[in-house]
Amino acid sequence: MEVLTVFLLSLLWDLLIGEPPALVHPVVWFGKLAEFFDERWERKGPLPDFLAGTLTALVVLLFAIALSLLPFYLPFPLNYALAVYLLKSSFAIRSLHEHVSRAITDNIEKKRKAVSRIVSRNTETLDGVHLNSAAIESLAENLNDSVISPLFYFLLFGLPGALVYRAANTLDAMLGYRNERYEFFGKFPARLDDLLNFVPARLTVLLYLPFGGRRVLKYYRLARFKLNSDKPIAAMSAVLGVMLEKPGFYRFPGRGPVNDDIRRALKVYWLIVAEWVIIVTLLLATGVFPCLSP
C-alpha cells in the first residue's frame, strides 16, 4: 500500500498544484545536463558523435537513477515526501491540458503562439485547420509520453522506472532530431525512446477502444508513418472523426478540425486519463506489479 499512497499523493499534487518551478524540476535538470554536454561537444564525425551522444545519454540516465534512489535512504516522512515529488515530476496531466487549451481561440496569431509552445514545427506557415490539428496531435502524443508511459514504467520498476523513462523522453525531445547536428549525436537517445515507447504507445491505443471501437483499430492499421508516435494520434483522429495531419509526414482522414474539436479532444483526454488512473490504482492496490517502495 505504500506505493499506492505515493501514487495517489503525486496524482493529487498534479491535479491541484501542477508543475514544480523550473528551478527545482527534475525534468529541467535532465535537460540542462544534456545541454551541458551537447554545447561542449564539437561534432567530429559519425562514430565519435554517436559515442559522445550515447555517453551523454548514459550520464543523464544514471543521474535519473541516482535521484530516484534517494528516497530509499531517507527517514520517514522525508522518504515519502521526496518520492511523491519525484514521481509527480515524471508525469504531467494538468499542465498538458492547460497548454493545449490555450490553442482554443479565434485569433490566429494567438493560436499560432499557443501551438508553437507545444510542437516543434514552424507554426507561422500553418493555417487554422492545421494549427488545430497540431494542437490535437500534441495532446494525443503527449498523452502517451507524459501520462501513460511514465506510469507504465512506474508499475514495472517503481520510481526508478518512471524517472528513467522521463529522462529518456527528455533526451529524445532535445537531441533526437535527424539533422546535421544531431543525426549521430542524438541517435542513441532517439532509438532508446523508440524502444521504451513501443509498448506504451500501443497500450494507449487500447485505452481509446471504449470510445471508438473498430474505427480506432482501422486507423491504427493506417498508422505506418512512424514507429510509435503516430499510433495515439491515429486513435484520437478515429474517435473525433477529424483530419489530423503533419504535412509531409502523416495524414489521417476526416474533416478539418475546428476549435470545438480541440475541446472534444480534451474531453477524450480526461476520459482516458481517468481510465488509466483507475487501472494503475487497481494494479497497485492488488500488488500485481512488484514495483519498488520508498
Side-chain angles (χ1 to χ4, degrees):
M1 296 300 290
E2 293 89 351
V3 180
L4 178 59
T5 301
V6 169
F7 167 64
L8 293 177
L9 289 175
S10 67
L11 179 64
L12 191 64
W13 179 317
D14 182 277
L15 297 178
L16 295 180
I17 302 174
E19 296 305 298
L23 185 64
V24 292
H25 201 308
V27 175
V28 176
W29 298 344
F30 300 153
K32 292 294 184 182
L33 188 55
E35 184 179 46
F36 175 85
F37 290 102
D38 177 24
E39 291 179 346
R40 283 158 180 76
W41 176 258
E42 295 182 5
R43 288 355 186 218
K44 299 179 179 180
L47 183 57
D49 289 355
F50 173 75
L51 293 175
T54 300
L55 181 60
T56 296
L58 292 176
V59 169
V60 175
L61 294 173
L62 287 172
F63 174 66
I65 292 172
L67 199 60
S68 70
L69 294 177
L70 282 178
F72 295 88
Y73 297 96
L74 294 176
F76 179 86
L78 292 179
N79 58 340
Y80 277 86
L82 183 57
V84 168
Y85 179 75
L86 292 175
L87 179 59
K88 186 273 148 294
S89 72
S90 75
F91 65 90
I93 298 173
R94 173 175 167 171
S95 68
L96 180 53
H97 171 96
E98 291 173 344
H99 280 92
V100 174
S101 64
R102 294 190 185 106
I104 304 174
T105 174
D106 292 323
N107 185 306
I108 193 69
E109 292 307 319
K110 287 184 178 179
K111 187 184 290 286
R112 283 200 174 100
K113 185 176 181 180
V115 174
S116 70
R117 293 174 175 172
I118 56 177
V119 299
S120 58
R121 70 195 76 170
N122 180 12
T123 60
E124 295 300 318
T125 62
L126 300 180
D127 57 21
V129 167
H130 284 91
L131 287 169
N132 292 333
S133 174
I136 297 172
E137 292 165 51
S138 179
L139 178 66
E141 183 175 356
N142 282 291
L143 169 58
N144 175 78
D145 292 355
S146 299
V147 183
I148 307 300
S149 289
L151 294 179
F152 174 79
Y153 285 103
F154 176 66
L155 282 173
L156 292 181
F157 305 111
L159 190 55
L163 281 190
V164 165
Y165 170 79
R166 190 78 249 157
N169 188 246
T170 302
L171 285 163
D172 177 61
M174 294 187 64
L175 310 176
Y177 296 100
R178 301 203 68 175
N179 56 32
E180 184 178 356
R181 181 172 180 81
Y182 294 113
E183 175 67 27
F184 298 101
F185 188 85
K187 190 170 291 294
F188 177 80
R191 296 291 80 81
L192 177 62
D193 185 72
D194 286 342
L195 177 64
L196 292 178
N197 272 312
F198 187 84
V199 173
R202 286 147 185 84
L203 173 60
T204 302
V205 172
L206 292 178
L207 294 173
Y208 277 93
L209 287 178
F211 313 107
R214 292 181 179 179
R215 187 178 177 90
V216 170
L217 295 177
K218 176 184 176 182
Y219 275 54
Y220 173 78
R221 289 192 288 271
L222 296 175
R224 299 180 179 276
F225 307 99
K226 295 185 176 183
L227 182 63
N228 299 317
S229 60
D230 60 343
K231 307 301 184 291
I233 294 171
M236 181 67 86
S237 178
V239 171
L240 299 178
V242 299
M243 178 272 294
L244 296 181
E245 177 184 28
K246 183 177 183 181
F249 291 88
Y250 54 76
R251 184 182 190 277
F252 298 104
R255 61 173 175 78
V258 296
N259 278 332
D260 192 52
D261 293 314
I262 302 178
R263 295 188 184 94
R264 292 172 58 222
L266 287 168
K267 291 178 181 178
V268 173
Y269 166 75
W270 281 107
L271 288 171
I272 293 177
V273 167
E275 188 181 7
W276 183 228
V277 165
I278 291 171
I279 291 171
V280 171
T281 301
L282 291 175
L283 291 174
L284 291 175
T286 55
V288 172
F289 287 94
C291 54
L292 305 176
S293 300

